[in-house]
């Protein structure tokens, strides 16, 4: 689907008329058009937190076929420096970054915030029309997944088919610089739907939640009644604990567990609502034209027109070869996908391999537990010591309860209460999974003064 100003002019974003939206887009168009061709080739950096301004700037860049680079405005000095090694945009719309050699046009220069500075001494410029979306990747550091308008539209059309067609109206409560937020904006545009950036009018609309958001919503009877009127509640970003899924089923919420990533333009597989409500272990169906292949080592390979082209600054992936993930998965006899989890999280303790996901699921079923993170910390005797951090109500009798759910070697050596886990807006652990032990070590230091190890 082509992007055009006429379609943008319909009233489809809550809080602004179509006419006013087009006026904002044209303002951004004039700022980008004032740059030289060389400067435009370096791309537009978008860190805008206001969703309407974000939308206007994003569509302006796409209309001009100028590369658009998304970034988290809350990034610290390290992430900003990593971004600066990858790109050197000539103009920034938003906060936290400033660009030099840009003719003084439309830039943002924020003092006192450790702002990153981009210069014209650029690394490789992005391809015209490319859309660079940040992702942490499995090995740490900032990566920019390279998408195009076509790949993002393919993802939107796939979700439209999953829902049975028609416009997709959404309530978006996730940041637009994440793929999970951006795609809600684009689904509304591509399908002729509407979007609002709150949860004030949920009836008939789609929402995207991470499990933590769903858990909080289930704590309010009034909120549950409201969510029962939604068209669909996509839950992704992290595995949905079965205990939480059971609560959602009991409330008859229209939950659609989804699997996807930045590299696939968000969701690429989903468990339909009817299957979720009736069959706890139902597998996920492919979305759109996606298909899956399981490699000899158990890893999942994805084929889809919504796939990215590779990471900026690295060799492009060959679309016909698909994308090999770091997720272990299986296909059932109906061809449905069951994602087991990341292969790099296995913990080796005393010669026994432990899947932290299984332990986390068991701990999450303890009454009063909210969020859980299992890590393997270095140990001179065991190699790795299984330690579980959790939030919610403290659990003095946890060991006896877990013995009913887990074999002996999977019982944590320690269960530590903390006031919060290091999770981002999508409910994912901050930092690469490869460094999860470092995250655990930092939690130990944080928790020691104000919590105790229960036994």
């Amino acid at each position: 689907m082509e992007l055009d100003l006429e379609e943008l002019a319909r009233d489809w974003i809550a809080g602004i008329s179509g006419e006013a939206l087009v006026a904002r887009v044209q303002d951004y168009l004039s700022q980008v058009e004032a740059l030289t061709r060389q400067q435009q080739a370096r791309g537009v950096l978008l860190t805008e937190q206001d969703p309407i301004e974000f939308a206007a700037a994003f569509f302006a860049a796409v209309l001009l076929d100028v590369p658009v680079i998304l970034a988290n405005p809350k990034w610290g000095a390290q992430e900003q420096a990593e971004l600066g090694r990858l790109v050197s945009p000539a103009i920034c719309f938003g906060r936290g970054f400033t660009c030099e050699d840009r003719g003084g046009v439309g830039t943002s220069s924020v003092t006192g915030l450790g702002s990153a500075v981009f210069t014209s001494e650029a690394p490789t410029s992005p391809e015209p029309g490319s859309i660079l979306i940040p992702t942490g990747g499995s090995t740490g550091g900032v990566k920019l997944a390279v998408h195009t308008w076509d790949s993002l539209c393919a993802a939107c059309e796939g979700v439209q088919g999953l829902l049975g067609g028609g416009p997709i109206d959404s309530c978006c409560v996730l940041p637009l610089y994440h793929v999970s937020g951006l795609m809600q904006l684009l689904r509304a545009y591509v399908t002729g739907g509407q979007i609002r950036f709150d949860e004030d009018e949920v009836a008939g609309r789609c929402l995207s939640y991470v499990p933590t958001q769903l858990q909080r919503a289930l704590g309010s009877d009034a909120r549950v009644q409201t969510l029962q009127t939604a068209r669909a509640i996509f839950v992704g970003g992290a595995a949905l604990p079965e205990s939480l899924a059971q609560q959602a089923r009991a409330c008859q919420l229209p939950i659609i567990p989804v699997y996807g990533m930045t590299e696939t333009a968000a969701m690429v597989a989903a468990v339909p609502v009817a299957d979720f409500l009736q069959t706890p272990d139902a597998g996920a169906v492919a979305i759109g034209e996606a298909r899956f292949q399981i490699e000899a080592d158990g890893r999942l390979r994805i084929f889809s027109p919504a796939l990215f082209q590779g990471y900026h600054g690295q060799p492009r992936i060959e679309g016909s070869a698909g994308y090999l993930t770091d997720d272990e998965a299986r296909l059932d006899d109906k061809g449905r996908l069951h994602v087991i989890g990341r292969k790099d999280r296995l913990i080796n303790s005393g010669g026994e391999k432990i899947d932290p996901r299984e332990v986390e699921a068991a701990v999450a079923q303890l009454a009063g537990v909210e969020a859980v993170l299992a890590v393997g910390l270095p140990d001179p005797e065991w190699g790795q010591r299984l330690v579980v951090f959790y939030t919610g109500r403290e659990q003095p009798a946890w060991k006896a309860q877990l013995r009913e759910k887990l074999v002996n070697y999977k019982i944590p050596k320690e269960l530590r209460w903390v006031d919060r886990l290091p999770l981002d807006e999508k409910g994912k652990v901050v930092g690469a999974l490869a460094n999860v032990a470092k995250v655990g070590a930092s939690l130990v230091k944080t928790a020691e003064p104000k919590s105790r190890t229960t036994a």
Side-chain angles (χ1 to χ4, degrees):
M1 178 181 183
E2 295 295 327
L3 177 63
D4 63 77
L5 284 174
E6 183 176 344
E7 180 61 18
L8 287 174
R10 65 183 179 86
D11 294 338
W12 63 286
I13 298 181
I16 188 171
S17 68
E19 181 181 359
L21 174 64
V22 168
R24 295 299 302 129
V25 172
Q26 289 175 327
D27 179 56
Y28 284 108
L29 283 171
S30 65
Q31 294 183 59
V32 178
E33 288 175 326
L35 300 173
T36 67
R37 288 190 178 274
Q38 276 188 325
Q39 290 171 326
Q40 290 182 14
R42 289 164 52 189
V44 170
L45 178 66
L46 187 49
T47 65
E48 180 60 62
Q49 296 187 70
D50 180 275
I52 293 176
E53 294 299 323
F54 179 104
F58 177 85
F59 289 130
V62 173
L63 282 166
L64 291 174
D65 213 32
V66 171
V68 57
I69 305 152
L70 308 188
N72 185 341
K74 298 178 182 178
W75 273 344
Q78 179 178 337
E79 291 88 354
Q80 292 187 10
E82 291 173 358
L83 184 66
R85 287 191 287 269
L86 294 172
V87 293
S88 59
I91 190 170
C92 174
F93 297 122
R95 294 175 58 85
F97 300 81
T98 185
C99 305
E100 291 184 343
D101 184 32
R102 73 283 189 190
V105 181
T107 60
S108 171
S109 178
V110 183
T111 60
L113 294 180
S115 304
V117 177
F118 298 97
T119 71
S120 58
E121 297 177 3
T124 304
S125 292
E127 291 291 326
S130 59
I131 300 167
L132 279 59
I133 307 176
T135 178
S138 61
T139 57
V142 174
K143 291 183 179 181
L144 297 173
V146 181
H147 276 283
T148 65
W149 179 251
D150 288 342
S151 66
L152 299 183
C153 285
C156 295
E157 292 163 359
V159 175
Q160 185 181 33
L162 172 73
L163 294 174
I168 299 178
D169 299 331
S170 293
C171 287
C172 180
V173 292
L174 296 174
L176 296 183
Y177 50 79
H178 281 310
V179 69
S180 49
L182 175 68
M183 295 309 298
Q184 293 180 71
L185 173 70
L186 300 191
R187 286 176 207 136
Y189 171 80
V190 170
T191 68
Q194 297 182 336
I195 189 170
R196 56 185 308 123
F197 299 103
D198 56 38
E199 297 179 81
D200 292 345
E201 296 180 15
V202 171
R205 295 176 179 268
C206 296
L207 296 90
S208 291
Y209 274 172
V210 297
T212 301
Q213 290 172 308
L214 176 61
Q215 185 173 48
R216 291 170 181 165
L218 287 171
S220 165
D221 291 341
R223 188 70 194 142
V224 168
Q225 291 179 4
T226 298
L227 292 178
Q228 288 170 337
T229 67
R231 181 182 184 184
I233 304 170
F234 301 114
V235 180
L240 176 61
E242 181 54 29
S243 58
L244 186 58
Q246 289 174 3
Q247 294 179 55
R249 289 190 192 98
C251 297
Q252 290 292 293
L253 293 184
I255 300 292
I256 300 181
V258 299
Y259 168 77
M261 58 196 75
T262 306
E263 291 83 351
T264 61
M267 64 183 81
V268 72
V271 179
V273 172
D275 294 339
F276 169 77
L277 292 175
Q278 297 172 12
T279 311
D281 61 347
V285 299
I287 293 177
E289 299 178 26
R291 59 188 179 88
F292 310 115
Q293 179 177 305
I294 308 300
E295 300 296 298
D297 64 354
R299 286 196 293 170
L300 172 65
R301 187 181 295 272
I302 300 173
F303 301 85
S304 170
L307 272 183
F308 75 140
Q309 297 181 343
Y311 300 109
H312 178 67
Q314 299 183 24
R316 293 182 58 164
I317 67 169
E318 183 60 47
S320 60
Y323 173 60
L324 182 61
T325 74
D326 288 321
D327 288 322
E328 186 177 354
R330 66 179 179 87
L331 298 175
D332 63 24
D333 55 6
K334 296 181 181 179
R336 291 196 170 196
L337 181 67
H338 299 258
V339 178
I340 299 169
R342 297 191 68 89
K343 292 185 70 68
D344 57 6
R345 282 201 66 193
L346 287 179
I347 297 169
N348 192 326
S349 183
E352 298 282 3
K353 291 184 179 179
I354 303 169
D355 185 344
R357 300 174 297 260
E358 180 185 357
V359 178
E360 289 168 350
V363 175
Q365 293 181 43
L366 301 180
V369 169
E370 295 177 354
V372 185
L373 174 64
V375 299
L377 300 183
D379 187 277
E381 179 181 359
W382 298 96
Q384 286 183 297
R385 182 174 81 261
L386 175 60
V387 178
V388 173
F389 300 91
Y390 70 98
T391 64
R393 189 191 313 160
E394 290 197 66
Q395 302 291 320
W398 64 270
K399 188 167 288 188
Q401 296 179 68
L402 290 183
R403 285 198 181 102
E404 299 174 0
K405 305 174 184 294
L406 300 168
V407 299
N408 187 56
Y409 69 86
K410 295 180 182 179
I411 302 293
K413 295 293 187 288
E414 300 176 60
L415 200 72
R416 286 181 173 265
W417 176 88
V418 292
D419 55 4
R420 66 180 181 85
L421 296 179
L423 303 177
D424 62 16
E425 296 96 332
K426 296 186 291 182
K428 292 186 177 181
V429 177
V430 175
L433 286 171
N435 296 322
V436 74
K438 295 180 181 179
V439 174
S442 67
L443 274 172
V444 170
K445 294 177 181 178
T446 302
E448 295 252 2
K450 55 184 177 182
S451 69
R452 57 185 176 83
T453 301
T454 55

